[in-house]
Amino acid sequence: MTNFHSEFDAKCGRGYATLMNQIRSQFGEEFGMLLDVTLYRDYALKQRDIFDIPEQGKCDEVAAKLRQQGNRLYMAKKYEEALKKYNESLCFAEAGSEQVGMGFANRSAVYHEQGEFEFALANIALARKHNYPVNLMPKLLARERSCRDKLDDGQSKGTGPFPRMDLNVSVNPKIPCVADGIRMKVYDEFGRGMVAERDFQAGTVILDEKAALAITTLETRYSHCGRCVKQLTYSLIPCPGCVSTLYCSEECLREDERFAHRFECAIADKIRNVLEYSSIVGPKLFFYGLTLFGDDLEAMMDYCKGASARGVGDPFKLDLRNNDRLEQFKELQKAGVHHITEVDHAYRISAAAMYVVFMKHPLVQQIVKTEAQREFMLHTFLKYIRNSIASMLDWREGGIAGPTVSMLPLLGTLCNHSCDPNAVFGIHSGRFKLAVIRPIRQGEQITSSYGPTWWEPNPDYDCTYKCRCPVCKHGGANWKLNEQELPTAAVKHLTVIRKGLEAETGVNKADLLNMAQQFVNRYAQYHPSYVFSAVLKAYRLFMIVGMFRAERNQERAQAMAALEENV
């Protein structure tokens, strides 16, 4: 039950923080941040005390202690924190022990209290399947009867579909996950971007893409699926080999094992020790590509160093109906950084630390044998960390400083940031969704906000890039607010929406969303203005919540379908 968080930042591992401090002490505050990645690597190789930490194994005693911590959180009604502790307990529980069944039973108690009766039933079934103690069974069966009675009384939070959260417009015939009438464009200010070749109305879902990679951080390891980053799902199951990762399904477990986790599982704690935010994305993308090349590192090197790997790449030229992952990877790895950021030293140190750790894995040692191969792995780690962090989309729980998961979609990476966005993205169940929040005209760049917006600025937002959107470029010299007064009909429409937002009960959220959507489409010519932005802000939130509710409803339906199938 080792705590890998550094003392100064919960998003960084202790080993990474120690290495960073030692480099600063050894080489100086400024010069130490300017070294080449090979020098960082050579220095890190000498710091055995940082990297040689023992791996934690399955242990029922630790699992029991974690469950007790979860029980205290449950009694304090801190249900989501309790779920995370029960999930961590499941990771430590020994295969076949009663601790596994008790962990699932504890989760069912949380879901029962939250009114998630379908999820509670699913975990009761898991508990009974995994050696739940016979002497405690009456308590579990009573909870099961309570759940079924409440569902019979119509107390489900919902299992119906949310059609508006799926693609709801004609799609690209060769790329069925994206709306027809969208292509890539290279911009001077942004690099690669996404441009509309036709008009799109607010409410249009224009992208629904399965991501190539999804990343959990130190804070989200016990709350999200390690493959698709589905959040606090009812079905999280532990990796059978390590104590660091959970999966929402056997399918996600197998997928992650095939493409990345077989290189991670035996050194999972060592990796956690040197994590820096989402820097694991570099090694993950490297091993994902290596797998697609059939573990033939020489073939991967020949491609990556050849002429066909150069250029900015254009995923819209692919035919995704074939689902050729290797061709998709080749396009994905072409995505380059538009400029080297001020935190590049952190990426170089991360690449060096990750190199040292992964070279301890027997499977990596079998594949990466020569000096040239080792240098390629190091420099490709760095390249993929730089490129991916510049391209990844982050999802933060509870605000900008909250726990983070990240996603690397092939097409979604083209959606650039703007403080005046016309779309909003959501990360759900391994999929990246993009929905229009105000009308987009033909020729406009399609953008979303990575954090702040002009109507909801955040001075504390820690950004590694210089924003070049119209609001920020040249201090906003070419961007100004619309000062036109709204017509009487628009004011009446706005009043109805505001009353709905202020009402605590008796308001149909779907109706409110439709009213906001109609307002945004009907009065788009008054954008940007503070009055218009009030509705835009609410509508953007409705769309985010709608995506989450759609995912939850689908999960409830899946849980009940699985239970009925096994009756």
Side-chain angles (χ1 to χ4, degrees):
M1 201 161 61
T2 304
N3 179 11
F4 291 99
H5 299 279
S6 71
E7 295 177 0
F8 71 92
D9 193 338
K11 298 178 189 289
C12 292
R14 286 180 177 271
Y16 173 84
T18 302
L19 180 62
M20 174 74 82
N21 289 334
Q22 287 189 2
I23 287 171
R24 283 173 169 157
S25 176
Q26 179 79 13
F27 301 104
E29 185 69 28
E30 286 193 27
F31 179 70
M33 301 299 101
L34 300 175
L35 302 182
D36 182 80
V37 66
T38 55
L39 295 177
Y40 286 134
R41 187 268 314 273
D42 294 344
Y43 179 80
L45 283 169
K46 300 174 184 176
Q47 314 307 312
R48 293 184 176 276
D49 56 323
I50 297 177
F51 301 102
D52 287 343
I53 64 167
E55 294 294 318
Q56 299 176 100
K58 305 286 185 180
C59 177
D60 280 348
E61 184 180 351
V62 173
K65 289 179 180 178
L66 289 165
R67 278 199 318 101
Q68 290 166 9
Q69 293 175 24
N71 290 342
R72 289 193 288 271
L73 291 165
Y74 172 81
M75 295 301 293
K77 300 186 184 300
K78 296 179 179 179
Y79 295 129
E80 293 206 351
E81 292 303 310
L83 277 175
K84 292 175 187 178
K85 277 299 169 188
Y86 294 144
N87 286 340
E88 189 176 358
S89 170
L90 283 166
C91 281
F92 276 89
E94 297 172 30
S97 76
E98 290 184 342
Q99 289 297 324
V100 179
M102 292 173 75
F104 287 128
N106 287 141
R107 283 202 327 208
S108 74
V110 173
Y111 285 127
H112 182 273
E113 291 301 311
Q114 290 180 323
E116 295 285 5
F117 304 117
E118 295 91 347
F119 299 162
L121 286 171
N123 276 273
I124 289 168
L126 286 168
R128 295 172 71 173
K129 182 180 176 181
H130 289 87
N131 297 323
Y132 186 73
V134 175
N135 63 309
L136 298 177
M137 193 62 74
K139 183 178 180 181
L140 194 67
L141 295 178
R143 188 179 301 141
E144 182 179 37
R145 286 193 298 273
S146 173
C147 289
R148 293 196 180 278
D149 288 345
K150 290 182 184 299
L151 289 175
D152 289 343
D153 289 341
Q155 295 188 41
S156 171
K157 288 187 175 182
T159 57
F162 270 68
R164 74 175 68 251
M165 299 308 158
D166 296 324
L167 278 168
N168 51 12
V169 67
S170 59
V171 299
N172 185 313
K174 290 187 177 181
I175 312 176
C177 65
V178 67
D180 203 12
I182 297 175
R183 66 175 175 86
M184 191 189 91
K185 180 178 177 179
V186 179
Y187 294 87
D188 292 337
E189 301 92 345
F190 304 101
R192 304 193 318 165
M194 192 181 285
V195 65
E197 293 185 305
R198 47 162 288 196
D199 295 347
F200 291 101
Q201 290 287 89
T204 307
V205 179
I206 56 176
L207 181 64
D208 184 358
E209 175 188 11
K210 184 177 180 180
L213 290 177
I215 309 296
T216 58
T217 59
L218 279 175
E219 303 167 292
T220 54
R221 291 248 164 176
Y222 295 122
S223 57
H224 291 70
C225 173
R227 172 65 183 169
C228 75
V229 300
K230 186 182 286 187
Q231 177 188 2
L232 282 177
T233 179
Y234 71 94
S235 57
L236 284 174
I237 54 176
C239 168
C242 70
V243 299
S244 300
T245 311
L246 294 128
Y247 298 101
C248 68
S249 64
E250 291 287 344
E251 180 185 358
C252 271
L253 188 155
R254 289 192 299 270
E255 278 271 300
D256 201 37
E257 172 65 19
R258 177 189 173 194
F259 288 109
H261 201 60
R262 62 193 175 107
F263 296 101
E264 300 169 340
C265 194
I267 54 169
D269 285 337
K270 291 179 177 63
I271 294 171
R272 292 170 73 189
N273 184 48
V274 297
L275 273 181
E276 192 265 343
Y277 290 74
S278 301
S279 60
I280 188 63
V281 68
K284 273 188 178 290
L285 186 56
F286 176 87
F287 292 117
Y288 178 72
L290 181 63
T291 301
L292 293 171
F293 276 97
D295 286 357
D296 187 338
L297 185 53
E298 286 297 318
M300 183 178 176
M301 290 170 65
D302 288 343
Y303 169 76
C304 291
K305 293 179 179 180
S308 57
R310 301 192 189 110
V312 296
D314 184 354
F316 279 92
K317 293 181 178 178
L318 296 174
D319 187 340
L320 296 191
R321 294 172 299 179
N322 302 328
N323 196 27
D324 187 330
R325 288 186 172 183
L326 179 57
E327 289 306 308
Q328 293 172 32
F329 166 77
K330 289 177 179 179
E331 286 297 318
L332 186 63
Q333 70 97 41
K334 285 181 183 178
V337 292
H338 196 52
H339 59 282
I340 300 297
T341 69
E342 61 187 21
V343 296
D344 194 68
H345 66 276
Y347 302 160
R348 282 176 270 132
I349 293 172
S350 286
M354 289 291 178
Y355 171 91
V356 173
V357 168
F358 275 101
M359 282 306 301
K360 294 179 180 292
H361 197 297
L363 180 57
V364 177
Q365 292 172 8
Q366 290 174 20
I367 296 172
V368 186
K369 299 176 181 178
T370 69
E371 182 63 25
Q373 291 172 340
R374 288 190 287 272
E375 289 300 307
F376 174 74
M377 187 174 84
L378 172 66
H379 286 89
T380 307
F381 275 9
L382 175 57
K383 175 187 174 181
Y384 289 172
I385 290 172
R386 279 176 177 160
N387 293 358
S388 299
I389 289 180
S391 304
M392 280 193 314
L393 286 305
D394 294 337
W395 188 264
R396 297 176 174 89
E397 298 173 31
I400 284 175
T404 305
V405 294
S406 303
M407 189 167 279
L408 191 65
L410 179 65
L411 298 170
T413 56
L414 300 176
C415 185
N416 288 315
H417 166 80
S418 175
C419 296
D420 186 18
N422 50 30
V424 62
F425 72 84
I427 291 176
H428 300 286
S429 302
R431 303 193 71 84
F432 176 87
K433 294 192 177 187
L434 192 64
V436 178
I437 58 169
R438 61 178 175 82
I440 298 173
R441 302 304 174 207
Q442 182 179 359
E444 274 191 75
Q445 183 179 185
I446 299 169
T447 59
S448 185
S449 171
Y450 295 177
T453 58
W454 70 264
W455 65 80
E456 199 171 21
N458 192 321
D460 297 328
Y461 179 61
D462 189 13
C463 174
T464 60
Y465 57 89
K466 183 178 181 181
C467 186
R468 292 175 170 83
C469 79
V471 180
C472 300
K473 187 179 179 182
H474 306 309
N478 300 320
W479 185 90
K480 61 180 180 180
L481 289 171
N482 188 335
E483 297 181 358
Q484 295 182 80
E485 290 189 8
L486 290 176
T488 303
V491 173
K492 290 181 178 179
H493 195 153
L494 180 62
T495 301
V496 174
I497 294 172
R498 281 178 169 165
K499 287 182 178 179
L501 291 171
E502 292 167 0
E504 294 183 4
T505 58
V507 178
N508 186 304
K509 298 297 183 184
D511 290 344
L512 199 55
L513 184 148
N514 286 329
M515 282 191 286
Q517 182 172 300
Q518 291 169 8
F519 182 94
V520 169
N521 280 322
R522 192 172 295 165
Y523 303 110
Q525 67 269 31
Y526 296 94
H527 172 82
S529 68
Y530 284 115
V531 174
F532 186 87
S533 71
V535 179
L536 194 60
K537 176 182 176 181
Y539 181 60
R540 179 171 176 255
L541 180 60
F542 288 157
M543 293 298 283
I544 292 171
V545 172
M547 290 181 196
F548 177 77
R549 286 186 62 188
E551 179 186 42
R552 276 307 208 214
N553 281 17
Q554 184 181 32
E555 279 194 90
R556 293 187 196 102
Q558 289 171 345
M560 289 307 296
L563 287 169
E564 291 167 4
E565 187 178 311
N566 293 322
V567 170

